[in-house]
Amino acid sequence: MSAAAVDLIKLLFGVLGVLVLATAVGRVLREHIAPDRSNPGIENLNARIDAWWGMAALLGLAFLAGKTGVIVLFGFISFAALREVLTLTTKREADHWALFGAFFVVLPVQFWLVWDEWYGFYSIFVPVYAFLLLPVVSVLSGDTRDAFVRIAETQWALMICVYCVSHVPALLTLRIEGYEGREVLLIAWLVIVVQISDVLQYTWGKLLGRTKVAPTVSPSKTWEGLVGGVISASLIGTALYWITPFSPWQALGMALAVTAMGFFGGLVLSAIKRDRGVKDWGHLIAGHGGFIDRMDSVVFAAPIFFHLTRYFWSAV
């Protein structure tokens, strides 16, 4: 068995242990505080933990399936997220063909380019070609009502749901000297650090939070939660340096970058949800909302993480 496989198995068992512990804590809280399931906070916690079992299982299976499995999984996540976001945007009949192109041309082509490891094209396909050509499809209909809003919303949705999400499996295409065959661990590191940061920001905010970061955007986000969550998650990311090509100090710097970007990603998408008058983007994941609710931090962190890693550590 290769060293990469051994490290992946160790990591999966570590995640399994954390989930078992979290499940036990959630069940104990329910049993001793609200056995009749009358406490919404505890029920939400247990729903989130149950959902994490499913998400962890999907990620684990995709990792074990290799490159194609990971790309297919994130392609599906991208499709679901794009559907959630575009459902809340301004659209008219004139946009039908542009929407068809977004879902069934742009999205699969972007992930195929990642699978083909064609960096020169997948790095510009959405922000250049889709950005310029999809509006042409819409305006050829002759409908100019809300044209600027309709075009901008579709382009923004493609950027966050397709372009940014595709940079997660794109980590598999990096060629780092001395790290060959272990690239899937970069994905694991990114997802673990960013998602733990979300949890710890919420936890620190509940324990110590007093000063709101942007009360009109997301009243639950506090500076105390941000600082506590980012520092705690960054220390965890540093402790996991052994699954990355980074030294401990480099892992700390990368963790600080991705957790900060993850926070601001959640803040930006919270502002959009508030503008649209919704609490969640969707309801497909019990306790979490929709796919974009769970991926809002990752979509902002992934491209930054990918390009920092590529330019500073990649041999390509």
Side-chain angles (χ1 to χ4, degrees):
M1 185 178 294
S2 67
V6 171
D7 285 345
L8 180 58
I9 291 172
K10 287 180 181 178
L11 188 64
L12 291 175
F13 273 105
V15 171
L16 178 63
V18 171
L19 286 173
V20 169
L21 178 61
T23 301
V25 170
R27 298 305 188 266
V28 168
L29 288 173
R30 173 188 287 167
E31 184 66 26
H32 287 83
I33 297 177
D36 59 351
R37 303 196 175 193
S38 59
N39 188 304
I42 292 175
E43 291 310 303
N44 181 263
L45 172 65
N46 280 289
R48 285 174 175 264
I49 293 170
D50 292 343
W52 266 114
W53 276 102
M55 290 187 283
L58 284 175
L59 282 171
L61 289 173
F63 289 163
L64 294 174
K67 175 182 171 181
T68 300
V70 172
I71 291 175
V72 168
L73 174 61
F74 281 94
F76 170 77
I77 291 172
S78 177
F79 187 96
L82 184 63
R83 178 183 176 276
E84 290 169 355
V85 172
L86 287 177
T87 297
L88 299 179
T89 59
T90 304
K91 289 291 171 284
R92 296 174 59 79
E93 185 177 351
D95 299 307
H96 288 177
W97 281 110
L99 292 176
F100 178 88
F103 280 102
F104 301 107
V105 178
V106 175
L107 189 154
V109 167
Q110 176 69 12
F111 281 87
W112 176 79
L113 291 170
V114 170
W115 181 85
D116 196 50
E117 303 188 15
W118 194 350
Y119 172 78
F121 203 2
Y122 74 67
S123 62
I124 64 170
F125 176 62
V126 173
V128 176
Y129 292 92
F131 185 91
L132 295 175
L133 295 177
L134 279 185
V136 174
V137 178
S138 291
V139 301
L140 282 175
S141 67
D143 188 344
T144 60
R145 182 182 295 184
D146 298 320
F148 196 7
V149 173
R150 288 157 39 210
I151 290 169
E153 287 177 341
T154 300
Q155 291 171 332
W156 178 241
L158 283 171
M159 281 298 294
I160 62 173
C161 299
V162 178
Y163 185 74
C164 290
V165 171
S166 73
H167 278 73
V168 180
L171 290 165
L172 297 176
T173 70
L174 296 179
R175 295 295 173 261
I176 302 172
E177 186 176 352
Y179 196 70
E180 294 83 359
R182 306 182 69 198
E183 293 82 7
V184 70
L185 295 173
L186 281 174
I187 297 178
W189 186 90
L190 172 66
V191 172
I192 289 171
V193 172
V194 172
Q195 294 298 331
I196 283 180
S197 178
D198 283 352
V199 173
L200 292 175
Q201 286 172 30
Y202 176 82
T203 303
W204 283 110
K206 287 294 183 182
L207 292 173
L208 303 175
R210 298 291 185 273
T211 311
K212 309 293 185 184
V213 175
T216 59
V217 176
S218 183
S220 64
K221 296 184 185 297
T222 65
W223 284 108
E224 294 82 0
L226 169 60
V227 173
V230 166
I231 292 176
S232 301
S234 295
L235 291 175
I236 292 172
T238 304
L240 290 172
Y241 81 94
W242 55 274
I243 66 171
T244 74
F246 317 137
S247 70
W249 283 110
Q250 291 167 341
L252 175 61
M254 292 293 277
L256 287 170
V258 299
T259 53
M261 286 304 301
F263 173 83
F264 291 119
L267 195 65
V268 168
L269 293 180
S270 290
I272 296 173
K273 286 191 291 185
R274 190 167 291 274
D275 172 65
R276 293 302 175 183
V278 297
K279 181 178 181 295
D280 297 314
W281 289 102
H283 307 284
L284 286 176
I285 307 176
H288 291 264
F291 279 93
I292 199 65
D293 291 293
R294 195 65 272 136
M295 294 289 292
D296 54 2
S297 301
V298 175
V299 296
F300 269 59
I304 301 298
F305 181 63
F306 173 87
H307 288 289
L308 285 176
T309 303
R310 184 176 190 273
Y311 288 119
F312 288 99
W313 283 278
S314 179
V316 178

